Amino acid sequence: MNHQHQLSLFSKQLLMPAIAGAFRKLNPKTQLKNPVMFVVYAGSILTTALAVQALTGEGEAPAGFILATCLWLWFTVLFANFAEALAEGRSKAQAESLRSAKQDVRARKLNTAARNATQILVNGSSLRKGDIVLVEAGDVIPADGDVIEGVASVDESAITGESAPVIRESGGDFSAVTGGTRVLSDWLIIRISVNPGEAFLDRMIAMVEGAKRQKTPNEIALTILLVALTLVFLMATATLFPFSAFSTEAAGGGSTVTITVLVALLVCLIPTTIGGLLSAIGVAGMSRMMQANVIATSGRAVEAAGDVDVLLLDKTGTITLGNRQAAAFYAAPGISEAQLADAAQLSSLADETPEGRSIVVLAKQRFALRERDMEKLQAEFIPFTAQTRMSGVDLHSGNTVRRIRKGSADAIRRYLNESGQALPPAISETVDQIARQGSTPLVVIDDQTVMGVIELKDIVKGGIRERFAELRRMGIKTIMITGDNRLTAAAIAAEAGVDDFLAEATPEDKLRLIRQHQAEGKLVAMTGDGTNDAPALAQADVAVAMNSGTQAAKEAGNMVDLDSNPTKLIEIVEIGKQMLMTRGALTTFSIANDVAKYFAIIPAAFASTYPQLNALNLMHLSSPASAMMSAVIFNALIIIFLIPLALQGVRYRALGAAVLLRRNLLIYGLGGLVVPFIGIKLIDIVLTVFGLI
């Protein structure tokens, strides 16, 4: 899928279809969808008729002038169509790469949810929601579904672009599978969760098809503003003709402004630049999301990402690395650190969790303790359970049993209370101190003797504090969500630099927190992957579901991260901000452009009707015809020059709204005022020197 990311903006694969698309979009029904450009389209048709009339010898102005105006107006329409077609072409290229991953395969449909059940070979496209299928090593999963039995390694590179396989198993948050992925080992029994045409891959293809993109609320509001400006200029331009005719008649000389000049003037004054590029900006925003391996269900979601006020971030895997590592041993009074390390290592030799392995490694590093022959010690390992919240080992020696346990302070306290003992005050104090530092304490006991505490430290990701500082400068509040106790959560929140945290979080707590911020008029973004995250994802304004998560989470979210990287939420916000910044910058440039063109061409264009206006011809344009033609040509060419900016976006900067506004006014506002004066004058010189007008 990722090979499309390498296509350059004007590569041949994108350029040729975009040129053809620009002509296809000349269909009146298509043009009506963009009211501003429809005015230019209508003006092009009108000047075409006037050019034909002029060529027969009955023109209102020289045939060459009308024909040149007509051609440049058509170029303006085509350039705007080209910008939109090029943006859509990038999305369609990505959709084609996704479509290539879609294939109809043979599926083994089962009559019951058992591996030895009766099998029927069917086409994958015939499967319906609720059907049960068996897939084994080497098989392609025929459709989206949930694993109801089995554990297998699955290659999802066709969807995510990542070569590393993932584990899928029944129950929990890793039971969802996607059609088109391949089973590498073992087997799975899957209950199909979608009907044909509703699969995740089908939805992704539809999402990235730019032509199907719905306009966002802000885009609709801006379109209404542009239409209003167009109507104002349309009425203003329409009144110029009778005024011109009256003035000419009253003065007994001069010439009346022609229809061709009025059409050209209208096209130059209405906001054609942003009108022609607005749709391309929106399509390009969704395309940039796709390049980040994020599927947005709508342009509304991308836009909302740029307006986010609050980010809810899971601690584990997002703010921290997720694997807690043993960092230190704190021995109890009367116990040496080496004795504690020995007991901790014995209790962890069969513990395959990252935490357990790190305890064994730390004991080796600190005290050169090597793994013992557990058969000679007649070791019986006690696995961790949710009920006991402890693990350990029983060492048998004759009729005696040495019981070593490690677990949370609360679990060990309950264990000791059963025999009438209590956790020593010194150990309780050490536990609290470790928790306040943001680490996790594990208490180790040998029989009924408390040996000490192991500190497990969850490492905060490098650079995350700086990212949060950037978000803060943008006015975005970050909230860490964790199931840890308040002491641990507070310490990690302080180290990571988040603005707030929610400790011991439950699904209800997350939902309540989101609603609370939304009630204050804020937009909230969050990530999730489990079924228990679905209610909060459905409530959030920007909800990013992990592709590795459950079907319920994906359906509740309005974005899906194919890489299943929780940190991607920060990048998503940046892409959304970039789209809004691009739209704001080009809108500022376009409106400033129109103001500049007004002062540049009005004096020259109407000098023959109102000779007094010559005093305002500050640019000293050579003639009224040259002034108008230069403005029309500039109006068309500026769209082409701005297409790369519209598609690639304004460079993202972590700045506040007020700073961004000042920056836009300085760069794009001032630039929009200055560039037309320079561009129109240069075109006027070229037209005059080469005698083209």
Side-chain angles (χ1 to χ4, degrees):
M1 184 184 73
N2 293 339
H3 71 277
Q4 291 295 349
H5 299 182
Q6 305 305 318
L7 288 177
S8 64
L9 185 61
F10 292 107
S11 64
K12 188 176 181 181
Q13 297 97 311
L14 297 179
L15 199 59
M16 300 311 294
I19 293 173
F23 285 94
R24 282 196 299 271
K25 287 178 179 291
L26 290 176
N27 185 320
K29 291 182 179 179
T30 304
Q31 291 298 313
L32 268 171
K33 295 177 182 177
N34 189 334
V36 176
M37 294 311 299
F38 182 75
V39 171
V40 185
Y41 178 73
S44 303
I45 294 174
L46 178 58
T47 52
T48 301
L50 292 172
V52 172
Q53 187 181 43
L55 290 173
T56 62
E58 300 178 4
E60 59 169 12
F65 173 75
I66 300 176
L67 184 61
T69 303
C70 163
L71 289 175
W72 279 105
L73 291 183
W74 279 117
F75 284 145
T76 304
V77 176
L78 286 171
F79 291 161
N81 289 350
F82 174 76
E84 185 174 6
L86 189 61
E88 290 174 0
R90 297 175 81 187
S91 291
K92 287 174 181 176
Q94 292 164 338
E96 285 301 321
S97 66
L98 289 172
R99 195 173 281 113
S100 65
K102 187 179 177 183
Q103 51 184 308
D104 192 13
V105 298
R106 302 285 285 174
R108 284 179 285 222
K109 184 178 174 182
L110 305 179
N111 61 347
T112 63
R115 192 179 182 190
N116 58 0
T118 304
Q119 301 179 11
I120 306 173
L121 276 177
V122 299
N123 287 328
S125 57
S126 68
L127 293 171
R128 296 291 185 274
K129 187 174 181 178
D131 287 345
I132 297 172
V133 297
L134 169 67
V135 289
E136 296 178 327
D139 291 346
V140 174
I141 294 174
D144 295 3
D146 294 297
V147 178
I148 56 177
E149 189 178 340
V151 180
S153 175
V154 179
D155 174 13
E156 295 188 342
S157 59
I159 305 298
T160 66
E162 296 295 329
S163 58
V166 295
I167 301 298
R168 292 288 175 259
E169 58 187 332
S170 59
D173 294 340
F174 298 95
S175 60
V177 290
T178 305
T181 57
R182 184 179 297 275
V183 177
L184 298 180
S185 67
D186 302 297
W187 55 272
L188 298 171
I189 294 178
I190 300 167
R191 178 179 287 111
I192 304 301
S193 59
V194 295
N195 290 318
E198 300 173 357
F200 179 60
L201 206 55
D202 293 313
R203 295 201 307 274
M204 282 199 294
I205 292 169
M207 290 170 198
V208 298
E209 289 280 8
K212 299 180 182 179
R213 189 184 66 87
Q214 299 298 312
K215 286 188 176 181
T216 64
N218 283 354
E219 198 171 337
I220 292 171
L222 182 56
T223 301
I224 293 171
L225 173 63
L226 298 181
V227 169
L229 288 174
T230 301
L231 289 174
V232 169
F233 282 118
L234 180 60
M235 289 186 288
T237 306
T239 60
L240 289 175
F241 183 78
F243 270 112
S244 172
F246 174 78
S247 298
T248 302
E249 185 178 342
S255 59
T256 304
V257 176
T258 63
I259 299 296
T260 303
V261 168
L262 290 177
V263 170
L265 177 64
L266 174 62
V267 169
C268 289
L269 295 185
I270 64 176
T272 51
T273 307
I274 185 61
L277 297 175
L278 186 58
S279 182
I281 293 168
V283 176
M286 293 187 69
S287 180
R288 281 195 292 275
M289 282 290 183
M290 187 62 198
Q291 289 175 347
N293 253 12
V294 177
I295 302 295
T297 61
S298 67
R300 182 189 295 264
V302 181
E303 188 174 272
D307 279 331
V308 159
D309 301 298
V310 179
L311 281 186
L312 303 186
L313 300 157
D314 276 332
K315 183 202 76 170
T316 306
T318 304
I319 294 173
T320 64
L321 295 176
N323 294 330
R324 296 175 300 174
Q325 303 290 312
F329 295 118
Y330 296 90
I335 304 294
S336 69
E337 194 176 334
Q339 289 175 306
L340 168 60
D342 178 69
Q345 188 187 66
L346 284 170
S347 68
S348 305
L349 286 173
D351 188 345
E352 291 301 322
T353 64
E355 294 90 343
R357 290 196 296 270
S358 72
I359 292 171
V360 174
V361 170
L362 183 63
K364 285 181 181 179
Q365 292 173 344
R366 296 288 300 278
F367 301 101
L369 295 175
R370 300 300 171 188
E371 296 182 16
R372 270 62 63 89
D373 187 346
M374 304 310 288
E375 289 187 8
K376 289 183 180 179
L377 295 173
Q378 300 180 49
E380 178 187 352
F381 293 103
I382 310 300
F384 176 88
T385 66
Q387 290 74 30
T388 64
R389 299 182 64 81
M390 293 189 304
S391 64
V393 63
D394 287 348
L395 304 176
H396 297 269
S397 178
N399 294 326
T400 62
V401 180
R402 180 185 175 190
R403 294 181 173 85
I404 304 175
R405 299 287 185 271
K406 71 174 190 293
S408 68
D410 290 340
I412 296 297
R413 190 178 284 113
R414 285 194 301 270
Y415 182 77
L416 291 173
N417 286 342
E418 291 174 2
S419 59
Q421 292 183 284
L423 206 62
I427 293 298
S428 296
E429 185 178 337
T430 302
V431 166
D432 290 341
Q433 182 182 352
I434 291 172
R436 279 193 295 270
Q437 294 171 352
S439 301
T440 301
L442 286 183
V443 180
V444 180
I445 59 172
D446 190 343
D447 286 328
Q448 300 301 312
T449 304
V450 177
M451 304 297 291
V453 184
I454 307 168
E455 179 187 4
L456 297 179
K457 192 169 185 180
D458 201 354
I459 308 300
V460 172
K461 287 184 176 179
I464 199 76
R465 188 181 185 90
E466 289 72 20
R467 297 293 294 275
F468 289 151
E470 284 185 10
L471 293 172
R472 194 174 298 110
R473 285 197 295 273
M474 293 159 55
I476 297 174
K477 182 179 182 179
T478 52
I479 301 177
M480 182 184 78
I481 299 176
T482 177
D484 290 341
N485 61 64
R486 287 191 60 82
L487 286 175
T488 302
I492 293 180
E495 185 179 353
V498 295
D499 298 310
D500 201 354
F501 65 90
L502 178 65
E504 299 173 348
T506 64
E508 293 77 15
D509 292 334
K510 296 179 187 178
L511 192 58
R512 194 180 305 113
L513 183 63
I514 292 173
R515 287 174 174 167
Q516 175 187 328
H517 284 290
Q518 288 174 332
E520 297 170 1
K522 297 176 180 176
L523 291 183
V524 181
M526 75 164 289
T527 60
D529 58 3
T531 301
N532 63 345
D533 290 324
L537 287 171
Q539 182 69 37
D541 300 287
V542 178
V544 185
M546 301 295 102
N547 188 46
S548 61
T550 62
Q551 195 69 30
K554 285 191 245 185
E555 290 176 357
N558 51 24
M559 292 188 186
V560 177
D561 177 22
L562 301 181
D563 297 331
S564 299
N565 176 11
T567 314
K568 189 76 69 67
L569 182 57
I570 298 174
E571 188 176 344
I572 287 169
V573 170
E574 292 175 354
I575 293 172
K577 288 278 185 190
Q578 185 183 31
M579 188 186 81
L580 295 182
M581 287 166 60
T582 303
R583 187 188 297 162
L586 290 181
T587 301
T588 304
F589 184 87
S590 178
I591 293 175
N593 235 339
D594 296 334
V595 173
K597 283 184 287 185
Y598 180 85
F599 287 105
I601 64 179
I602 287 288
F606 291 90
S608 60
T609 305
Y610 303 102
Q612 299 87 346
L613 289 177
N614 268 322
L616 298 177
N617 186 10
L618 303 178
M619 296 174 64
H620 302 291
L621 300 177
S622 58
S623 68
S626 176
M628 188 56 62
M629 186 57 60
S630 299
V632 170
I633 294 173
F634 174 83
N635 198 60
L637 293 180
I638 197 66
I639 294 177
I640 281 289
F641 285 117
L642 290 176
I643 286 177
L645 182 63
L647 298 189
Q648 294 179 348
V650 173
R651 183 182 174 187
Y652 167 77
R653 296 175 186 272
L655 302 172
V659 178
L660 277 177
L661 178 61
R662 287 197 301 271
R663 185 173 176 272
N664 273 356
L665 290 175
L666 181 62
I667 297 176
Y668 298 99
L670 185 60
L673 285 171
V674 172
V675 169
F677 283 96
I678 298 172
I680 290 172
K681 181 60 179 177
L682 288 175
I683 295 171
D684 174 71
I685 292 172
V686 171
L687 292 177
T688 304
V689 169
F690 290 95
L692 299 175
I693 196 71

